[in-house]
Amino acid sequence: MSSVQSQQEQLSQSDPSPSPNSCSSFELIDMDAGSLYEPVSPHWFYCKIIDSKETWIPFNSEDSQQLEEAYSSGKDCNGRIVPTDGGRYDVHLGERMRYAVYWDELASEVRRCTWFYKGDKDNKYVPYSESFSQVLEETYMLAVTLDEWKKKLESPNREIIILHNPKLMVHYQPVAGSDEWGSTPTEQGRPRTVKRGVENISVDIHCGEPLQIDHLVFVVHGIGPACDLRFRSIVQCVNDFRSVSLNLLQTHFKKAQENQQIGRVEFLPVNWHSPLHSTGVDIDLQRITLPSINRLRHFTNDTILDVFFYNSPTYCQTIVDTVASEMNRIYTLFLQRNPDFKGGVSIAGHSLGSLILFDILTNQKDSLGDIDSEKDSLSIVMDQGDTPSLEEDLKKLHLSEFFDIFKKEKVDKEALALCTDRDLQEMGIPLGPRKKILNYFSTRKNSMGINRPMPQSASGPNIAKESEFCSRSNTRNDDYLDVGIGQVSVKYPRLIYKPEIFFAFGSPIGMFLTVRGLKRIDPNYRFPTCKGFFNIYHPFDPVAYRIEPMVVPGVEFEPMLIPHHKGRKRMHLELREGLTRMSMDLKNNLLGSLRMAWKSFTRAPYPALQASETAEETEAEPESTSEKPSDVNTEETSVAVKEEVLPINVGMLNGGQRIDYVLQEKPIESFNEYLFALQSHLCYWESEDTVLLVLKEIYQTQGIFLDQPLQ
């Protein structure tokens, strides 16, 4: 009460209303009037810097309640830590600060809020400080109790707040250069609305997240520090991805939630860009960067050069070490904070991040497996279906006359690749052909290794090993693992867990494998430690490439169309297919009628004596013409049935299931695919269709399915 007295004593000259601060005033209080006052309900907020502006964001209802209970417990708040946001942030109650748990982020201020005023630009409400909110609440309590309004208070920033009545309370900011003797509140700019209690302001307060975590997904970003068109970080984009998943769980897994079968899926970001660019490489690049078009060059150095860094042995090692160590660190910390977690782990990568994860997964070793690195290397071969023989290789080198010598010495391709110059000299091969042969096979060995068939499993000839063909490491370079797919020679770290599914968003994996000189993925190959692989992309994404044609190069087929999260296809796609089907029907009918008309025109005239025969033939013609359309229809239906019935074998990379999944473009995107190309590469974070596919595949491994299957 002393603070209220001091504030009102300062304003006694400017406020002629009688002061309620005397004892006699308290004696005249009607006891029934005190029942009109109800204490304000506080809500906790935290401050974020968005676009260089402070924005106050409310905690969800459950977190705010936990913070209020800890605050009101009567215990010392110093050293008190309250986990919030699903355990991803910790609030140090005594410091009133909020800290990120799993990643580096600037700490944000936390405030227990009861009174708010409207901001000047974005019309969002800003909370007063806790101390001044208490002054406002005490003044409001006196005004309600005594039924005496038009109370004026001055904030620590010399701002004037006037309480006219419970429904009208205003806030005036001081104007620069105003006279402290003659200024009045009405002369100090436009008044701003003051509100008491969070229930009286327009702000979205979400419910809390389910406590149970069913699955953990690590998300690795692509090139550059920004992950979308709004230049947001991977943390912000993954927050959107997580929010979409929580909404879809309520709409598409409602029965499982009501039966308490599921909780939620936790998505955690993995950042490798900051550690890479903290190695000092930016300083080195700055010294050689031209001063012209400064912004464009800075964007290139900070973003596009990440692709070249990954193809450099030095920085590729930094990137893979950072990604693997970060995932291992976060996984260990997550288990410490969630000791009851029994779920699985999956990984997801966007753009270049998917290629990083692909290379890490191909170089993992199964814990049950073999010491020999060959059994864990990627089973990708150079056009294995049409591997040239030794005779064909010699013919290509114009050295066919030496084939009989190698045949006599029983030297095949693998043996020839192991031969030295001395061995070839002893076989009588001249110097020129020796150099050609050695150069040819050394080049093939360095690019793809020596491919040899693996022995079949002891269980029978029909059960293939994990890989049919493997790459053999160069025996002279034992300090690193050569997986034989053109990867940079680095040591790939081992993950401390086995991912269940690998999701790739807008992935260039297929392009990089092709550029590395690879043409085909062995259908029997699968990741050593990961069972599933989904290549998800937008049809207009300029960075995305398919994977299935590398497994089945001789067959052309469409990718799997991802259903719309509301069911069926988008309307414009159905309309397009309907029009295409209609045009094909019209085309077939038109061609059939033209064919019949042409036959009638080109038919030779019959003699009069054969009138009876022509009559018989004209009677038979309708039968034949009626049969022809039926033949066409039967052919079309048979083709359609074949397209639907014939299964497509895309190998074991995804456990025998399809690998490539394409999103449905929006109607506005179909007007100009070039205009939306860049946006298509960055659309996955807020795509309900993408998130729903991820949730569906994750929960299918636990035997939980959608409430209604999507068509």
Side-chain angles (χ1 to χ4, degrees), residues 47 162 167 174 187 220 389 449 482 527 624 627:
C47 181
I162 301 178
K167 300 297 183 181
E187 297 172 347
V220 181
S389 62
D482 179 13
F527 293 121
S624 62
E627 289 176 359

Side-chain angles (χ1 to χ4, degrees), residues 85-154:
D85 300 275
R88 296 180 296 274
Y89 290 88
D90 282 341
V91 172
H92 293 230
L93 208 57
E95 302 176 19
R96 294 291 199 274
M97 299 297 289
R98 173 176 175 263
Y99 297 93
V101 174
Y102 298 108
W103 55 83
D104 293 332
E105 184 179 313
L106 292 176
S108 52
E109 181 185 354
V110 174
R111 189 174 291 179
R112 182 178 181 264
C113 305
T114 53
W115 285 77
F116 308 84
Y117 68 93
K118 185 171 288 188
D120 52 351
K121 294 182 180 179
D122 52 6
N123 288 330
K124 292 185 178 180
Y125 282 92
V126 180
Y128 289 103
S129 65
E130 293 187 32
S131 58
F132 189 66
S133 293
Q134 186 176 359
V135 174
L136 285 170
E137 182 64 21
E138 292 175 353
T139 305
Y140 177 85
M141 180 185 67
L142 288 176
V144 171
T145 305
L146 300 174
D147 196 21
E148 295 181 0
W149 294 93
K150 295 188 178 180
K151 300 292 184 183
K152 289 184 291 186
L153 294 90
E154 183 177 347

Side-chain angles (χ1 to χ4, degrees), residues 27-297:
E27 292 174 357
L28 297 175
I29 293 176
D30 186 0
M31 299 304 294
D32 293 336
S35 61
L36 299 175
Y37 171 77
E38 294 182 0
V40 65
S41 298
H43 195 92
W44 291 75
F45 283 65
Y46 62 92
C47 181
K48 293 284 289 185
I49 306 299
I50 301 176
D51 296 332
S52 302
K53 296 186 299 183
E54 289 188 354
T55 302
W56 287 89
I57 304 173
F59 285 95
N60 63 59
S61 54
E62 291 186 4
D63 290 343
S64 179
Q65 184 178 355
Q66 287 186 356
L67 290 169
E68 184 63 23
E69 290 176 355
Y71 173 81
S72 305
S73 62
K75 300 179 181 178
D76 186 10
C77 292
N78 293 327
R80 190 78 180 270
I81 299 177
V82 180
T84 61
D85 300 275
R88 296 180 296 274
Y89 290 88
D90 282 341
V91 172
H92 293 230
L93 208 57
E95 302 176 19
R96 294 291 199 274
M97 299 297 289
R98 173 176 175 263
Y99 297 93
V101 174
Y102 298 108
W103 55 83
D104 293 332
E105 184 179 313
L106 292 176
S108 52
E109 181 185 354
V110 174
R111 189 174 291 179
R112 182 178 181 264
C113 305
T114 53
W115 285 77
F116 308 84
Y117 68 93
K118 185 171 288 188
D120 52 351
K121 294 182 180 179
D122 52 6
N123 288 330
K124 292 185 178 180
Y125 282 92
V126 180
Y128 289 103
S129 65
E130 293 187 32
S131 58
F132 189 66
S133 293
Q134 186 176 359
V135 174
L136 285 170
E137 182 64 21
E138 292 175 353
T139 305
Y140 177 85
M141 180 185 67
L142 288 176
V144 171
T145 305
L146 300 174
D147 196 21
E148 295 181 0
W149 294 93
K150 295 188 178 180
K151 300 292 184 183
K152 289 184 291 186
L153 294 90
E154 183 177 347
S155 71
N157 299 327
R158 298 189 59 80
E159 298 170 342
I160 301 299
I161 296 92
I162 301 178
L163 309 183
H164 291 286
N165 57 58
K167 300 297 183 181
L168 180 59
M169 295 175 283
V170 293
H171 173 117
Y172 294 93
Q173 281 189 328
V175 179
S178 61
D179 188 352
E180 66 176 7
W181 292 97
S183 63
T184 60
T186 55
E187 297 172 347
Q188 295 179 346
R190 181 175 58 88
R192 301 178 185 178
T193 306
V194 176
K195 295 292 184 180
R196 174 179 178 266
V198 71
E199 63 275 4
N200 293 318
I201 65 174
S202 56
V203 63
D204 293 331
I205 300 178
H206 302 284
C207 299
E209 302 175 9
L211 297 177
Q212 175 185 338
I213 300 176
D214 305 318
H215 203 87
L216 176 62
V217 180
F218 293 117
V219 184
V220 181
H221 65 86
I223 62 173
C227 297
D228 65 355
L229 291 177
R230 287 174 281 178
F231 297 97
R232 298 185 304 166
S233 66
I234 180 63
V235 174
Q236 295 170 302
C237 291
V238 173
N239 286 343
D240 280 351
F241 201 88
R242 187 187 305 108
S243 299
V244 173
S245 72
L246 292 173
N247 294 332
L248 290 175
L249 285 175
Q250 296 176 357
T251 56
H252 291 72
F253 293 88
K254 190 174 182 179
K255 294 180 181 178
Q257 278 196 335
E258 291 175 351
N259 297 331
Q260 297 183 349
Q261 292 178 303
I262 63 173
R264 64 183 175 91
V265 177
E266 180 63 281
F267 297 90
L268 295 179
V270 177
N271 182 13
W272 56 266
H273 181 269
S274 299
L276 170 66
H277 288 262
S278 63
T279 58
V281 65
D282 288 349
I283 300 176
D284 298 335
L285 285 173
Q286 190 62 35
R287 287 199 297 263
I288 61 175
T289 301
L290 301 182
S292 59
I293 52 174
N294 185 42
R295 292 186 179 181
L296 180 58
R297 295 186 190 278

Side-chain angles (χ1 to χ4, degrees), residues 290-421:
L290 301 182
S292 59
I293 52 174
N294 185 42
R295 292 186 179 181
L296 180 58
R297 295 186 190 278
H298 175 73
F299 174 79
T300 302
N301 291 348
D302 202 34
T303 303
I304 301 177
L305 286 189
D306 286 349
V307 179
F308 299 97
F309 284 141
Y310 189 66
N311 288 319
S312 163
T314 302
Y315 297 106
C316 179
Q317 186 71 64
T318 302
I319 292 173
V320 296
D321 285 345
T322 301
V323 171
S325 62
E326 272 295 286
M327 290 195 294
N328 289 339
R329 179 190 66 82
I330 296 174
Y331 180 68
T332 303
L333 181 59
F334 178 83
L335 292 182
Q336 293 175 358
R337 295 176 63 88
N338 301 271
D340 298 329
F341 176 72
K342 304 297 181 183
V345 183
S346 294
I347 55 179
H350 176 245
S351 189
L352 182 63
S354 63
L355 177 66
I356 298 170
L357 293 176
F358 182 87
D359 289 342
I360 291 176
L361 287 179
T362 56
N363 287 275
Q364 295 300 295
K365 294 183 179 181
D366 193 351
S367 58
L368 303 175
D370 315 309
I371 300 175
D372 187 3
S373 62
E374 293 177 2
K375 297 182 181 179
D376 297 311
S377 59
L378 179 62
S379 174
I380 303 180
V381 297
M382 299 284 292
D383 200 6
Q384 183 61 40
D386 300 315
T387 303
S389 62
L390 176 59
E391 185 176 4
E392 292 172 344
D393 285 336
L394 293 175
K395 186 177 180 180
K396 187 188 302 182
L397 296 173
H398 304 288
L399 301 174
S400 301
E401 64 271 18
F402 300 105
F403 176 72
D404 293 334
I405 298 176
F406 294 125
K407 186 176 181 181
K408 180 181 177 181
E409 297 289 339
K410 297 183 179 180
V411 175
D412 56 7
K413 286 184 62 174
E414 188 174 351
L416 184 57
L418 299 174
C419 290
T420 63
D421 183 84

Side-chain angles (χ1 to χ4, degrees), residues 561-571 573-574 664 689 709-711:
L561 186 67
I562 300 176
H564 191 262
H565 66 282
K566 294 183 179 179
R568 301 181 62 83
K569 293 182 180 178
R570 293 185 184 269
M571 185 177 297
L573 295 179
E574 291 190 348
Q664 302 179 36
D689 301 346
L710 299 177
Q711 299 179 353

